[in-house]
Amino acid sequence: METDKTTLADLAIFDREDELSVFNKLNFTLTSRGKEQLHQNLSVPLIGITAIRDVQNIILLIRKNQHNWPTTISNGTVMVVEKFFETTFDTIPANPNTLSTLSYKFLHNHDFTLIKYTVKHCFDFLKGIEQAVAILRSETTPTPLKKLLAEAERILDKPLLMRFRNIKNAGELSDSQFLELGHFLRYGYKGNMRELLLIFGRLDAWYGMAMALETFNLCIPEFTDTDEPLLEVNEMYHLLLAEPVPYSISLNKERNFLFLTGANMAGKSTFIKACGISCYLAHAGMGVPAKNMKLSYFTGLLSNINVIDNISKGESYFFNEVQRIKATVEKVSNEQRWLILIDELFKGTNVQDAMKCSITVIKGLIKM
């Protein structure tokens, strides 16, 4: 689904003030890598219904297995693993025995202590990846997740790591084993560890989406395969409100234009934004704040809500409103399915001119 920065800002998907954004509200990731990936997931809506359904099934699968989710991987663990390959150490012995281990501990005590601490976190990280693969892998695992898990399994399938497979806790490792594993990870597994960090970032992002689904009791929207535009939502509400009032809406090809009126502060703008947020989240594979939702796949989503002037360019509020409407008309003239959100057309001019301009635009949009 196509959109732009103005629409993302209008809907507060992201915001410099994190507490005011949809992203922050839905961020239940465990690590900074997961947070970065979740930001990416919500920045670029998915292309096609198949991709959306795959992500929906992934987060449902993770929610089902949330109580078995690996607890050995924290944000601190990920940070320590990343630092391991950036920190300078005296050369770690390749095949340490009792004598070489004692020698390294005596001559490089500071490095040994740091290596032991770091390798413990690397061990916990690898065990966490193994656990995630074990609980998510099945015949019904969605294709994108199945490919990701297969890649993780391939990376973990190393003879040395197989030797440590039956050891459940890093506390069971001897000093020699810490050095042996540290040498292998640092000199022979660096690229693989970075790949696993990327893989876990994607898993953590999906985990965050699943936990948001669970925490806020969001519904999984149903996408129709029809070529006709459709948007039906029951008891939809604005995700960022503490005590929201739910509304329902039904739009289709025959009834494709909703003209909303009401008193000031009655909730019109909130309702418009709630529609946009729900549609946007649905196209990211995310659950939506509603009792249920049924919709078609939309080519794009555009809004005209918080238009501002630009003093440095000499562009007035009204000028930018006109430019935004012009850009919107150009976008929707391709006979594709678009959801267009407009809040108070032409606020930048007098009431009479605003009415005339609005009627012209509305008539034009209805014809499309």
Side-chain angles (χ1 to χ4, degrees):
M1 183 175 72
E2 184 181 342
T3 187
D4 60 12
K5 292 181 179 180
T6 300
T7 301
L8 295 180
D10 282 346
L11 301 180
I13 302 299
F14 306 104
D15 198 288
R16 292 178 182 176
E17 304 267 349
D18 274 348
E19 66 274 10
L20 302 177
S21 70
V22 172
F23 167 72
N24 184 68
K25 185 83 171 183
L26 298 177
N27 179 27
F28 284 82
T29 57
L30 301 174
T31 66
S32 57
R33 279 186 174 262
K35 182 179 180 180
E36 291 172 5
Q37 183 61 52
L38 178 61
H39 192 285
Q40 176 67 17
N41 290 0
L42 296 183
S43 297
V44 185
L46 298 162
I47 300 175
I49 294 178
T50 300
I52 293 172
R53 288 173 177 163
D54 280 339
V55 173
Q56 289 177 341
N57 290 329
I58 288 171
I59 64 177
L60 287 173
L61 176 63
I62 292 177
R63 183 177 70 171
K64 180 181 177 182
N65 292 279
Q66 61 177 294
H67 299 299
N68 295 319
W69 195 254
T71 58
T72 58
I73 303 179
S74 65
N75 192 52
T77 297
V78 169
M79 291 176 65
V80 171
V81 173
E82 291 173 335
K83 289 291 184 183
F84 179 50
F85 301 102
E86 301 171 3
T87 306
T88 302
F89 295 104
D90 289 332
T91 303
I92 305 171
N95 298 296
N97 53 33
T98 303
L99 182 59
S100 60
T101 299
L102 288 173
S103 175
Y104 193 85
K105 287 178 65 177
F106 179 74
L107 298 174
H108 314 277
N109 183 259
H110 176 76
D111 284 352
F112 175 78
T113 301
L114 190 55
I115 289 168
K116 189 172 180 179
Y117 172 79
T118 304
V119 169
K120 176 188 179 302
H121 282 281
C122 290
F123 184 90
D124 289 342
F125 176 75
L126 292 171
K127 286 296 177 183
I129 296 291
E130 289 177 7
Q131 185 179 348
V133 171
I135 64 173
L136 298 176
R137 182 185 53 193
S138 70
E139 294 182 358
T140 59
T141 300
T143 301
L145 179 57
K146 187 178 293 184
K147 290 181 179 179
L148 198 68
L149 298 179
E151 181 64 13
E153 285 187 300
R154 182 192 66 79
I155 296 171
L156 291 169
D157 188 21
K158 307 296 181 190
L160 187 140
L161 295 181
M162 295 299 290
R163 284 175 39 209
F164 290 89
R165 185 63 55 87
N166 293 327
I167 299 177
K168 303 298 182 184
N169 192 297
E172 301 174 30
L173 297 175
S174 66
D175 289 344
S176 295
Q177 287 176 317
F178 270 113
L179 289 178
E180 182 183 19
L181 185 55
H183 180 277
F184 170 75
L185 295 175
R186 187 170 177 85
Y187 305 122
Y189 204 67
K190 180 178 180 180
N192 293 132
M193 284 295 278
R194 286 180 170 168
E195 287 183 64
L196 288 176
L197 285 167
L198 290 173
I199 288 173
F200 183 76
R202 294 184 63 184
L203 293 176
D204 189 22
W206 285 328
Y207 171 84
M209 294 169 73
M211 291 303 96
L213 193 75
E214 176 78 9
T215 303
F216 300 119
N217 194 29
L218 306 178
C219 83
I220 293 293
E222 176 189 352
F223 278 84
T224 65
D225 294 310
T226 178
D227 291 329
E228 305 296 341
L230 176 69
L231 179 63
E232 292 182 353
V233 197
N234 291 322
E235 297 185 24
M236 172 187 65
Y237 60 92
H238 198 294
L239 189 64
L240 300 183
L241 294 183
E243 298 180 1
V245 177
Y247 292 93
S248 299
I249 183 174
S250 178
L251 295 172
N252 51 50
K253 186 177 181 181
E254 287 70 38
R255 187 174 180 270
N256 63 356
F257 194 95
L258 177 62
F259 194 87
L260 193 63
T261 64
N264 289 334
M265 299 182 67
K268 300 185 298 297
S269 298
T270 301
F271 175 74
I272 291 171
K273 292 176 182 179
C275 288
I277 291 170
S278 294
C279 186
Y280 186 85
L281 292 178
H283 284 74
M286 185 59 199
V288 299
K291 185 176 181 180
N292 54 68
M293 181 178 191
K294 186 175 183 181
L295 73 164
S296 58
Y297 178 81
F298 283 90
T299 305
L301 168 66
L302 287 177
S303 68
N304 188 319
I305 298 176
N306 297 318
V307 178
I308 59 175
D309 58 3
N310 192 320
I311 297 175
S312 62
K313 292 184 178 180
E315 296 172 354
S316 69
Y317 189 102
F318 179 70
F319 175 84
N320 282 333
E321 282 189 300
V322 173
Q323 290 294 97
R324 184 66 178 168
I325 289 296
K326 177 185 176 183
T328 299
V329 171
E330 289 173 348
K331 284 286 187 182
V332 303
S333 61
N334 59 10
E335 297 185 359
Q336 300 295 314
R337 293 187 294 268
W338 285 80
L339 180 62
I340 306 301
L341 311 171
I342 302 174
D343 188 17
E344 292 190 43
L345 269 170
F346 304 114
K347 296 185 287 289
T349 188
N350 63 76
V351 176
Q352 288 78 16
D353 287 347
M355 184 189 302
K356 293 176 183 177
C357 292
S358 297
I359 290 173
T360 301
V361 171
I362 291 167
K363 286 181 177 179
L365 290 175
I366 289 176
K367 289 179 181 178
M368 293 180 181

